[in-house]
Amino acid sequence: MKANRQPHPATIAAQGLGWTDGATGAVVLPIQPATTFIRDPDNQYRRGRNYGRADNPGYDQPEALITALEGGAASIVLASGMAAATTVFRALPLGAHIVAPLVMYHSLRRWIASWAAEGYIAADFVDMTSLDALRDAVIPGRTRLVWVETPANPLWSVTEIAGAAAIAHKAGALIAVDSTTASPVLTRPIEHGADIVMHSATKYLNGHSDVIAGSLTTARDDEFWQKLVAGRGSGGAILGNLETYLLMRGMRTLHLRVERACRSAQLVAEAMTRHPNIAQVLYPGLPDHSNHAVAARQMQGGFGGMLSIRVKGGEEAAIATAARVEIWKRATSLGGVESLMEHRASIEGPGSPVPTDLLRLSVGIEDPQDLIDDLDQALGG
Ligand SMILES: Cc1ncc(COP(=O)(O)O)c(C=O)c1O
C-alpha cells in the first residue's frame, strides 16, 4: 500500500531520498571522481556537465537532501562553513551595508569585520536577540543583508527569525541564517522567512568530526542565488569527492544523532544547574535562559546539543576543570558523536567578548550519565 503522505524527514534522510544507483541497483551511490565530461559530437553538453569544479555529480544527492530537509528551492555544498558564509558576503554589491550579531561564531565575525575594514561592505554588529536593536540598525534601501546565527555561539542566544526577517525585508534586505547549531531537525529557517540558510556541515550534518564542509540553501532560485552558485564554481571553494561521500553518509543518521544530543544536553544542563561549583548554565532549554520563550516557539523537538557553563573561580578554575575531564574531549568544534569541551575565550583569543570562566560543551551521543559523572568529578566540590 502506498503511503498517502510525505515521509517524515528522518525517513527521507535515512534513505538518502530513496536514491539508488541506476546502473547497478546499489543503495549507496558511487563516488564519481571524474574532473571532466564528454562533449557530444555536435559540440553540445546535453548531459548537463562539462567540468568537475562546477558540475560534480556527487553533489546532486547531498544537495537534494539538504534542500528537502530545509524546505528550500535549491542547495549547494562547499569546501567549508566559512566558504559558504563568505560566498554570501562576496556576492553583495560593493559598499553594501550588512547587519550581523555582536556575539556569533568568532572566525566569521572577524572575517566580516576585516572585509568591512577593506571597504567591500559596511558592517554593523548588534544584539540580535533584540528586534528593536535590529530595527534601529537596518538602513532602508541600503542594508542588503541581515546575518543571523541561532542559537549563537557561545551563549546560545536565540534570534526570532520571523521577526528579524520581517525587519530585513521591510528594509529591502535579504536575511541569511547560520543554522549550524540548530540543524534542520530543530529549525527550518525558510519556514520562518529566511532567504538563505547556511550550515557548517562540518558539525551536525556530517556529525563524525571527519569532514570540513559547508552548505547554502535558498528559498528561491533567483538572481542572487545564481550569483552564489557561480561564486562556488568560479571561486573554486568546492567540496572534495570523499568529503561529499562522507557528508552524505553522515546525514543519513542526522535525526538519531540530533535527537540524542538534545535529550542528553537537556539532562546535562539540568544537572549542572544543581552543581555548587557552577555560576551559570547557558542552555536555551532551561526556563531561566533569557531566550527560552523564543527558543520554545521556534525550535521543534529539542533545544540543541550545545551549552556553556560558567565555572565559579574564574578562568583558572575553568581551565583546571577542562584539564580534569576524562570522557569529554578537550577540543574545539561541535556537532560530532563525541562530546567536546573547550575553554572558549582561549580559542577566540584577544578581544573575545566571551567570559573567561566559560566552558563550551558540545554534547555527543554517549550515555548521558557518563557525561554528567565526568563533569561532576572534573568540577569537584
Ligand atoms: C556556527 C558556526 N558557523 C560557521 C562555522 C565555520 O564552519 P567551518 O569550520 O566548517 O568552516 C562554525 C565552525 O565552528 C560554526 O560553529
Side-chain angles (χ1 to χ4, degrees):
M1 196 176 81
K2 284 231 177 267
N4 59 0
R5 59 172 180 83
Q6 275 284 356
H8 188 277
T11 307
I12 294 174
Q15 300 198 347
L17 291 160
W19 290 20
T20 54
D21 180 25
T24 63
V27 298
V28 173
L29 299 196
I31 296 178
Q32 172 50 267
T35 56
T36 192
F37 299 85
I38 298 286
R39 201 186 255 283
D40 299 324
D42 60 355
N43 216 29
Q44 304 298 307
Y45 272 115
R46 283 201 190 72
R47 278 166 288 195
R49 302 184 203 270
N50 61 46
Y51 186 57
R53 194 174 59 231
D55 300 330
N56 190 327
Y59 292 169
D60 295 357
Q61 190 184 18
E63 290 180 349
L65 179 55
I66 296 170
T67 301
L69 296 180
E70 289 294 353
S75 300
I76 51 175
V77 291
L78 299 99
S80 66
M82 283 299 288
T86 58
T87 295
V88 176
F89 288 93
R90 288 176 197 274
L92 295 171
L94 187 67
H97 177 248
I98 72 101
V99 184
L102 261 178
V103 181
M104 60 179 283
Y105 174 58
H106 73 123
S107 285
L108 184 57
R109 189 186 61 229
R110 281 206 189 123
W111 185 88
I112 295 170
S114 69
W115 194 242
E118 287 175 43
Y120 292 106
I121 54 172
D124 276 317
F125 295 90
V126 301
D127 173 4
M128 209 47 95
T129 65
S130 160
L131 293 181
D132 287 336
L134 176 60
R135 212 173 279 113
D136 288 347
V138 294
I139 308 169
R142 216 189 130 215
T143 303
R144 294 300 188 99
L145 180 71
V146 171
W147 186 268
V148 166
E149 179 181 326
T150 184
N153 270 287
L155 309 179
W156 316 113
S157 36
V158 178
T159 298
E160 191 199 321
I161 300 168
I167 294 167
H169 292 156
K170 193 168 171 211
L174 296 172
I175 174 167
V177 176
D178 179 343
S179 196
T180 297
T181 58
S183 89
V185 179
L186 306 177
T187 310
R188 290 166 30 120
I190 289 171
E191 285 175 358
H192 299 268
D195 300 295
I196 302 284
V197 182
M198 176 246 145
H199 286 282
S200 166
T202 313
K203 317 301 184 197
Y204 290 102
L205 291 185
N206 179 62
H208 293 76
S209 306
D210 55 6
V211 167
I212 302 274
S215 72
L216 295 171
T217 301
T218 186
R220 292 169 308 280
D221 186 354
D222 56 11
E223 200 184 327
F224 188 70
W225 178 248
Q226 286 307 321
K227 274 184 99 171
L228 302 183
V229 174
R232 174 187 63 179
S234 53
I238 57 165
L239 193 60
N241 288 307
L242 178 62
E243 289 77 4
T244 307
Y245 171 82
L246 287 171
L247 171 60
M248 187 58 226
R249 186 167 80 162
M251 285 195 294
R252 286 175 177 250
T253 56
L254 174 68
H255 292 75
L256 271 183
R257 291 184 283 100
V258 170
E259 284 159 19
R260 171 71 170 223
C262 286
R263 274 202 307 278
S264 296
Q266 185 78 37
L267 292 174
V268 171
E270 285 167 8
M272 289 305 102
T273 58
R274 296 187 287 271
H275 199 285
N277 288 349
I278 296 271
Q280 191 184 12
V281 183
L282 295 155
Y283 184 61
L286 294 177
D288 71 351
H289 187 279
S290 47
N291 307 134
H292 176 68
V294 180
R297 282 200 304 274
Q298 185 165 279
M299 301 179 78
Q300 271 161 19
F303 296 91
M306 298 302 300
L307 67 140
S308 295
I309 52 177
R310 298 186 64 183
V311 180
K312 283 186 186 164
E315 178 167 8
E316 214 177 304
I319 291 173
T321 301
R324 286 191 290 263
V325 288
E326 290 166 5
I327 289 180
W328 296 78
K329 302 292 168 230
R330 266 183 314 282
T332 192
S333 200
L334 60 102
V337 289
E338 63 290 283
S339 293
L340 305 180
M341 168 183 287
E342 70 170 339
H343 181 247
R344 192 65 193 162
S346 295
I347 193 108
E348 295 200 4
S352 162
V354 175
T356 55
D357 59 2
L358 184 143
L359 294 174
R360 190 182 85 166
L361 311 185
S362 170
V363 177
I365 64 168
E366 305 93 334
D367 178 77
Q369 197 56 50
D370 284 347
L371 297 174
I372 293 168
D373 290 349
D374 193 31
L375 280 174
D376 277 342
Q377 69 75 21
L379 283 159

